[in-house]
Amino acid sequence: TLIGSKATLDPENKLDWWRQDPGLSEHHYNWHVYYPFAEPVKDRQGELFADMHQQMLARYNFERLAVGLSPVEPYGPGIHWDDPLPEGFNPKLEDYSFRASFMSIPDSVTLGSRHILASNMDTNKERLYIAIARDHLEDPTGNRVQLTMDKLGCCVEASTGSANKELYGNLHNNGHVMISLMNDPDGRYNIDPGAMIATDPAVMTTLR
């Protein structure tokens, strides 16, 4: 039996069955176990990274439309990044002896992080946009790198296959961290992070 994470009157509870499906969390977790970003990349890892996340989002949007909810709204560097996140989330994973806790995030909190500057994320995103417009990436020595979906995916995730981590940053992984720390951005209250901090419960989090 799934324990609803949304208040009874919140229309988002129509998709608790989807967000809290153990099979969905297991799929996301196992994908990142098989394709770890910190180890040598496998064949087409960047392309498959982009495709897997796009397909998960497409299915989620389909399920949202099927129950009368609007599609997910973009939230990231340069896209509502400075606005409060309207939708909170309670994963109900706060007190487990066998694993780390994942705390709730209330409605309408703003982004911040004790580790990462949002302005740096904005800069990294703009550099990737420029690379797409120019149809090439740059390596650390300034040489051109052919732009492919595989290379672009590696840069977004910031795996070892990234053409230039210093230039293009760590958008995907740092985005997870920043959102997970929204309940205590500068660490002053010593609150554990939210579910977005880890690959297994991350898909539970509602972003719309």
Side-chain angles (χ1 to χ4, degrees), residues 4-14 16 87 92:
S5 62
K6 313 293 294 179
T8 304
L9 298 179
D10 190 334
E12 289 289 331
N13 66 12
K14 296 176 181 177
D16 273 344
E87 183 74 28
K92 296 193 176 182

Side-chain angles (χ1 to χ4, degrees), residues 107-186:
D107 291 347
S108 301
V109 293
T110 54
L111 191 67
S113 173
R114 67 196 83 165
H115 304 298
I116 306 157
L117 293 176
S119 59
N120 291 347
M121 299 273 282
D122 291 338
T123 299
N124 297 146
K125 185 208 70 172
E126 289 302 322
R127 288 170 177 169
L128 284 171
Y129 279 8
I130 291 171
I132 293 169
R134 292 176 174 174
D135 199 32
H136 71 267
L137 299 157
E138 291 186 11
D139 69 14
T141 62
N143 293 322
R144 292 187 176 188
V145 176
Q146 182 182 5
L147 181 66
T148 64
M149 192 64 248
D150 187 43
K151 279 295 183 183
L152 184 60
C154 286
C155 288
V156 172
E157 185 183 19
S159 67
T160 57
S162 173
N164 191 337
K165 284 191 178 182
E166 186 68 27
L167 186 65
Y168 302 118
N170 192 349
L171 284 175
H172 173 261
N173 298 326
N174 283 349
H176 271 265
V177 173
M178 293 184 75
I179 291 171
S180 75
L181 298 179
M182 291 177 83
N183 52 3
D184 186 17
D186 57 12

Side-chain angles (χ1 to χ4, degrees), residues 19-32:
R19 286 186 296 267
Q20 300 197 50
D21 180 5
L24 178 64
S25 291
E26 181 183 29
H27 158 71
H28 185 248
Y29 170 76
N30 284 333
W31 193 96
H32 284 286

